[in-house]
Amino acid sequence: MARFNENFLELKESYLFSEVAKRVSAFKEKYPDRDVIRLGIGDVTLPLGKTVVQAMHAAADEMSSAETFRGYGPEQGYDFLRQAIAGHYRTFGVELDEDEIFVSDGAKSDTGNITDLFSRDNTVLIPDPVYPVYVDTNTMNGRNIVYINGTAENDFLPMPDSSVQADLIYICSPNNPTGACYNRSQLREWVDYALENDAVILFDSAYESFVSDDSLPHSIYEIDGAKKCAVEFCSLSKTAGFTGTRCGYTIVPKAITSVSSDGTEMSLNKMWNRRQTTKFNGVPYVVQRAAAAVFSDEGMKEAREMTACYMKNARIIADTMEELGIRYTGGINSPYIWFECPFGMDSWKFFDFMLEKAGVVGTPGAGFGKNGNNWFRLTAFNNAENTTEAMRRFRDLF
Ligand code: MLT
């Protein structure tokens, strides 16, 4: 008899955003005429940039002719894209070898897939609240998870605790869901902690393009020593509107090594390459051409314009919180606004209340961990008109 992976019994019945979608569908079925504004899942609304679309068209044309048609591509990504990504890192003062860069279909998949490379015996340190994929994927593997608390008292930026022993450490900065962003000296502490404990940091930088404060790091590799202990995941989903187009990149430095129980030297970079060549066939050529166009001067300009649009929405939401005297974080170096639930409600109760009374969808903080029980997340990814209308309805709740 095939025995199923019983670790799945430890998971919540559905993934956070599936649960939100389910509740919204039920609401729409009940009230088909109600207009619902979605500020829940962080899904972009602006179209792809002109330069990106032109590159996609040109690549599609190449696929239509036998001379330029492409079949299987390199699982790690085409050289032209890996070079463009390396160029992007150079703008942060970070030098990467191209074979440390792996093109993927996004940070969500890779932050989950990377768990293949680590022993099930490893203890995983996860900040709470945080993006639920880290907890769910390690739960599927049956790993021991320890949590560190992000609270209003530490500005949702928990720091290493020498009494906690961990082998793998997840950090998301700018943080999803709180919008909090570690500064250089805080990341320095995390890198030192990882190096002292022979731990590996899994650094999710999916929101790096929203960092507007020049003193804040975009990449963990801006910290000396990080290449010995950190894998970094990034994505074009939020940077350039690729949530539906799908393209991200994972950096696995060659300096991250370990010795097996029988004394064999192991390289995380080689292992990831082995994993990807076995389980992944690469990102479509057309999408990689589009992704490379994001890193051109014109493509970056368009991406920055999109970010600026979303950040205006973030300002509209943050201003509403200030006006109503609601405690919040985020919205400056991040497209998320994280606020304390009003009326003493817990976050799922507030979710139902806001949907019912205002027709506005957000994401309950409880979905990101227990420290989110009384907090709530709104995204800046809708358009200005809907965001303004959502905040008008929000004010009317008071
Ligand atoms: C979110 O809303 O947290 C994100 O859109 C989820 C994701 O990027 O997978």
Side-chain angles (χ1 to χ4, degrees), residues 15 17 40-43 108 131 176 207 238 336 368 377:
Y15 178 58
F17 294 104
I41 191 164
D43 194 5
K108 175 182 181 176
Y131 186 41
N176 180 9
Y207 299 91
K238 317 294 155 79
Y336 296 127
F368 299 99
R377 194 194 79 176

Side-chain angles (χ1 to χ4, degrees), residues 121-157:
D121 300 340
N122 281 331
T123 293
V124 187
L125 183 66
I126 301 187
D128 172 341
V130 88
Y131 186 41
V133 170
Y134 319 150
V135 173
D136 286 0
T137 52
N138 280 288
T139 302
M140 288 173 189
N141 285 336
R143 277 198 196 86
N144 176 37
I145 302 176
V146 291
Y147 294 93
I148 36 164
N149 295 316
T151 61
E153 287 59 49
N154 60 19
D155 296 324
F156 293 100
L157 292 169

